[in-house]
């Protein structure tokens, strides 16, 4: 398992893109929670997951609905939010309410500038 190899090489946490039975990336709770549980059991490390909008074909409401079901002891320790995607504020609020930490997904220099901008400039 690659997760064990990463842990053995000194990784302090792992970031996953859970897959469904067809191999497609998914936010479906059954797959996310199973992947987190298996990885955490195999490595003892904190486990985070993607919330990439591409996993729900751009459907912001569906993403929120699926993430809202990431509950229980197998929920991720953290989840990434790509700052260039729609619906990030509601997603951040939801994750925080679930007790899931947030990792910023930064793809471009503009994304990095957004993170450093005052709240009044970003609307957040």
């Amino acid at each position: 398992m690659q997760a064990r190899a990463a842990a053995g090489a000194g990784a302090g946490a792992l970031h996953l893109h859970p897959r469904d039975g067809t191999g497609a990336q998914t936010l479906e709770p059954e797959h996310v929670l199973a992947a987190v549980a298996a990885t955490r059991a195999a490595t003892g490390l904190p486990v985070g997951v993607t919330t990439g909008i591409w996993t729900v074909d751009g459907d912001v409401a569906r993403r929120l609905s699926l993430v809202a079901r990431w509950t229980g002891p197998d929920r991720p320790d953290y989840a990434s939010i790509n700052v260039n995607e729609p619906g990030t504020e509601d997603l951040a609020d939801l994750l925080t309410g679930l007790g899931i930490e947030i990792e910023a997904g930064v793809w471009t220099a503009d994304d990095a500038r957004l993170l450093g901008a005052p709240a009044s400039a970003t609307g957040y």
Side-chain angles (χ1 to χ4, degrees):
M1 174 187 239
Q2 292 178 346
R4 280 193 196 115
L14 297 167
H15 172 90
L16 309 177
H17 287 232
R19 310 274 173 162
D20 65 17
T22 70
Q25 292 184 41
T26 184
L27 302 183
E28 291 285 345
E30 69 181 278
H31 300 293
V32 171
L33 300 177
V36 169
T39 304
R40 192 180 285 138
T43 65
L45 294 175
V47 179
V49 297
T50 187
T51 63
I53 196 72
W54 63 86
T55 63
V56 290
D57 297 321
D59 187 335
V60 172
R62 182 163 186 261
R63 174 169 63 182
L64 288 174
S65 174
L66 293 171
V67 171
R69 295 173 22 224
W70 293 356
T71 59
D74 297 328
R75 73 179 183 273
D77 296 292
Y78 64 94
S80 64
I81 295 179
N82 298 317
V83 299
N84 64 350
E85 293 180 351
T88 58
E89 186 173 358
D90 289 337
L91 181 57
D93 289 344
L94 175 58
L95 289 167
T96 300
L98 293 171
I100 299 171
E101 298 291 326
I102 297 169
E103 171 187 49
V106 179
W107 291 68
T108 67
D110 285 340
D111 291 349
R113 283 189 281 280
L114 178 64
L115 286 176
S120 60
T122 64
Y124 294 111

